[in-house]
Amino acid sequence: MRLDFVWLRDHCRSASCYNTKTKQRSLDTASVDLAIRPQAVRVDETTLFLTWPDGHVTRYGLEWLVRNSYEGQKQQVMHPRILWNAEIYRQAQVPSIDCRSFLETDEGLKEFMQNFLLYGIAFVENVSPTKEDTKILAERISIIRETIYGRMWYFTSDFSRGDTAYTKLALDRHTDTTYFQEPCGIQVFHCLKHEGTGGRTLLVDGFHAAEQVLRQAPEHFELLARVPLKHEYVENVGGCHNHMVGVGPVLNVYPWNNELYLIRYNNYDRAVFNTVPHDVVRRWYHAHRALTAELRRPDNELWVKLKPGKVLFVDNWRVLHGREAFTGYRQLCGCYLTRDDVLNTARLLGLQA
């Protein structure tokens, strides 16, 4: 490990520098001399001791330094996951969680959260097919995120909103709210009624597809992670008037370990592509085509039929969803959840998130 002296002074966990009750820094970082060097350094089998020019002593456990050093973080995965195609997911036989267990026991909730964190999708069964009961379910793990669509929404093919989703047409795979500066983290779907045919839901692990691109053509992955795009939503239907714009690359990675944490993919809502010079444009289209080809591979497509009583939670930062065309009357309800609160619930259950 290589550790900077300013960093070592800044992260001191002594009582005068760090409040152990609130888990917050007390030291004023701007007061640290940027040329600071310790007067004395000593290390034993478990601890590093530094004595600073003003006599202050900092103690670090070596295990803490390993976990929190740049070298340690570079080797760690922030979010453990199982990447999947349709066959991998089916063979895993990931169980749905019973509604009562989900709502009333920490064991049921923890099993659900573990499934969701690993695969990016999770199901709860035996839910009363009402908007009110779906809301109770969602609020078990998070605050509902209010958006331009409200908090809980009903979803039919009446074209009540200026979006293709409010029709009976097929929808290609995509992530939602790419036109938000921070796309919604989790989406909840509950089919309350369907009197007709078709309408299966398509699910694709975007991280699995991106991993294939990284292996086959790392230059494509790098470009998709570097080039920012604009997405926009323009709506003038009835009393709904909105113009939302979000900016960000298709792939978003942590720079220290190149771990993918968000995919922003929606060809319906992608705005005019004018964020790169001419010599990059064609290369970006080649990279986008490579990712699209992976996302559209039939063996990556998981098709599920949503039915009343079975609620689907989707990680909108990872798993793309779509829909086949349908006939008849089909009514869904659902909502978006705040990602921070979902991950907070997972961590309080002892899970890595």
Side-chain angles (χ1 to χ4, degrees), residues 81-237:
R81 300 184 178 96
I82 296 175
L83 305 184
W84 52 269
N85 58 22
E87 184 62 23
I88 292 171
Y89 186 81
R90 290 193 187 98
Q91 287 187 357
Q93 297 183 322
V94 183
S96 298
I97 307 302
D98 179 74
C99 178
R100 177 170 291 183
S101 176
F102 176 88
L103 289 175
E104 298 179 3
T105 73
D106 285 347
E107 292 78 17
L109 180 62
K110 186 173 183 177
E111 184 179 3
F112 168 88
M113 290 303 307
Q114 184 69 82
N115 293 341
F116 180 81
L117 293 172
L118 289 177
Y119 295 97
I121 56 175
F123 296 88
V124 179
E125 290 191 310
N126 302 318
V127 183
S128 297
T130 69
K131 186 170 93 167
E132 292 71 26
D133 286 284
T134 308
K135 177 175 178 288
I136 291 171
L137 203 73
E139 290 180 330
R140 171 73 162 131
I141 63 170
S142 172
I143 296 170
I144 293 173
R145 178 173 174 177
E146 187 158 7
T147 68
I148 57 174
Y149 304 106
R151 296 183 76 246
M152 295 292 300
W153 38 257
Y154 273 121
F155 202 89
T156 65
S157 55
D158 60 0
F159 203 67
S160 61
R161 302 299 299 261
D163 194 294
T164 312
Y166 288 78
T167 70
K168 296 182 179 181
L169 302 174
L171 289 174
D172 194 19
R173 62 225 70 200
H174 63 281
T175 59
D176 270 16
T177 60
T178 52
Y179 41 79
F180 288 179
Q181 200 55 40
E182 180 186 307
C184 292
I186 287 83
Q187 187 163 15
V188 181
F189 291 104
H190 190 184
C191 181
L192 304 179
K193 182 184 293 187
H194 184 197
E195 299 166 347
T197 61
R200 289 182 305 162
T201 294
L202 168 64
L203 299 167
V204 178
D205 185 356
F207 287 6
H208 177 268
E211 178 69 19
Q212 302 310 306
V213 173
L214 178 61
R215 290 179 180 178
Q216 298 164 15
E219 70 280 5
H220 288 339
F221 184 99
E222 189 275 334
L223 199 61
L224 292 171
R226 180 167 56 86
V227 172
L229 295 181
K230 298 175 186 175
H231 291 79
E232 67 177 346
Y233 178 72
V234 181
E235 178 183 36
N236 288 291
V237 176

Side-chain angles (χ1 to χ4, degrees), residues 45-70:
E45 292 182 356
T46 62
T47 309
L48 172 67
F49 301 86
L50 303 106
T51 302
W52 302 105
D54 61 358
H56 184 82
V57 177
T58 294
R59 298 171 178 83
Y60 285 111
L62 297 183
E63 289 187 3
W64 188 93
L65 287 174
V66 169
R67 285 196 311 272
N68 290 284
S69 68
Y70 174 76

